[in-house]
Amino acid sequence: FDPTTLPEATEFTSADQGGDEAADSDANANGVTPIVTLDPGENNPDIDAGVLHLYNLSGTVYEDTDTPDDDEISDGDGIIPGVTVQLFNADGDGNPTGVPISTETTDSDGFYEFTELANGDYVVVQTQPAGYESVTDSDGTDDNQIAVTIEDIDSVDNDFLEEEKFIEGTASPDILEGSSLRETIAGYKGQDTLTGGDGKDKFLYTETSDGVDIITDFTSGEDQIILSSIMEEELGYTGSDPIADGYVVIENYGSAGTMVQIDFDATDELLPKDVVFLEGVSDLNPNTDLVF
């Protein structure tokens, strides 16, 4: 048999793997069979060559930018180039075994591909990019290590979140500035001025007595105000919609910004307590921007 005439992305199977000589493959990986001797007039119809289809395994390494993280590629998610991705054979428990079969690096579109793979069990292992943390349960239990059984063309995507950094203030007024990472910022006591930076940030509030903070760069749909501690511990709130119930008040001042307030009695008897002013924000979306 001439292996150069095989269909693209195929290879010969191993020889003599079955118990039926008339049915199993006789050609080796190079397409060569043992010597066959025929007597005059004899016919041997059982010299066979099995061919396997080979598959490609590919995927994308991306930043999951949705809030909450939806664990799938969607519009607006960022791609991560330059990530090392290795392919291993898998043991019976779906763990990598031996040395890498192949190593690839994601291109400018976050894409990687392993080509001409035979049916079998593999593990795709991604090197976690600097400044990110992995998201579990994207295509497997640990997104840095994904077990795959190839029975057809497969695609394995890997998603990461920007690594979160915690920035906290003191008992005095502070000026706190974030970076390009995803950060949780808590000013605590005093009137603090908070700037999240380029990342998707969370601004944490644990007490209404912390003082009225100013956030200079809040981006609706990306950043979030965390009020769950105040709602649970100070108000004892157990409902599902504190805005509709009157405990959280949103005061919009047009282009100047938006104030988030807490109303302890949900009535007009006590004035609401100012918690944080979002400078320049006129489009606050309570469904995505506030966490209760």
Side-chain angles (χ1 to χ4, degrees):
F1 299 96
D2 183 0
T4 64
T5 63
L6 284 176
E8 185 177 354
T10 61
E11 68 177 7
F12 288 107
T13 63
S14 300
D16 301 321
Q17 296 301 299
D20 186 351
E21 181 62 29
D24 62 16
S25 180
D26 299 290
N28 62 21
N30 296 316
V32 179
T33 69
I35 296 174
V36 179
T37 302
L38 295 176
D39 292 330
E42 185 179 4
N43 178 42
N44 187 338
D46 300 327
I47 306 303
D48 305 313
V51 176
L52 289 174
H53 188 84
L54 301 178
Y55 299 96
N56 296 344
L57 179 63
S58 62
T60 302
V61 178
Y62 66 98
E63 177 193 347
D64 196 341
T65 61
D66 298 282
T67 304
D69 314 304
D70 62 0
D71 202 25
E72 62 182 31
I73 297 178
S74 55
D75 292 341
D77 284 342
I79 52 87
I80 309 179
V83 177
T84 299
V85 185
Q86 293 182 312
L87 183 70
F88 292 81
N89 284 312
D91 63 17
D93 296 321
N95 296 312
T97 181
V99 299
I101 300 170
S102 182
T103 300
E104 298 292 336
T105 302
T106 57
D107 63 15
S108 58
D109 295 319
F111 179 79
Y112 67 87
E113 184 174 36
F114 300 105
T115 60
E116 298 190 356
L117 302 175
N119 289 355
D121 296 323
Y122 301 92
V123 178
V124 179
V125 179
Q126 291 92 355
T127 300
Q128 185 167 303
Y132 292 83
E133 61 182 353
S134 66
V135 178
T136 56
D137 294 327
S138 176
D139 295 276
T141 55
D142 183 342
D143 235 10
N144 287 52
Q145 180 175 305
I146 303 171
V148 180
T149 297
I150 293 183
E151 295 177 342
D152 203 338
I153 297 176
D154 248 308
S155 176
V156 178
D157 300 317
N158 181 272
D159 59 337
F160 289 93
L161 294 174
E162 282 187 279
E163 183 179 6
E164 289 198 19
K165 178 181 178 183
F166 187 66
I167 299 175
E168 57 184 336
T170 65
S172 301
D174 295 297
I175 297 177
L176 303 178
E177 296 186 5
S179 65
S180 60
L181 296 179
R182 174 182 297 204
E183 289 150 334
T184 296
I185 304 177
Y188 298 137
K189 299 294 184 180
Q191 183 173 355
D192 305 301
T193 301
L194 313 177
T195 303
D198 296 331
K200 295 171 177 58
D201 303 302
K202 297 176 182 177
F203 298 89
L204 175 65
Y205 291 91
T206 58
E207 298 179 52
T208 55
S209 60
D210 283 348
V212 185
D213 288 354
I214 299 173
I215 300 177
T216 66
D217 66 339
F218 189 89
T219 301
S220 179
E222 295 185 2
D223 299 331
Q224 291 183 312
I225 305 295
I226 312 299
L227 299 172
S228 50
S229 292
I230 291 176
M231 302 307 299
E232 294 170 8
E233 297 174 17
E234 283 199 60
L235 276 69
Y237 180 74
T238 58
S240 59
D241 192 341
I243 295 178
D245 292 339
Y247 289 98
V248 175
V249 180
I250 309 299
E251 289 288 347
N252 188 292
Y253 297 98
S255 60
T258 298
M259 181 72 78
V260 178
Q261 303 172 319
I262 298 295
D263 190 336
F264 284 86
D265 61 354
T267 68
D268 294 330
E269 294 183 15
L270 294 176
L271 292 176
K273 176 72 169 65
D274 294 339
V275 175
V276 56
F277 184 73
L278 311 180
E279 189 175 88
V281 175
S282 59
D283 58 348
L284 185 72
N285 184 344
N287 295 322
T288 61
D289 301 341
L290 302 179
V291 178
F292 306 117

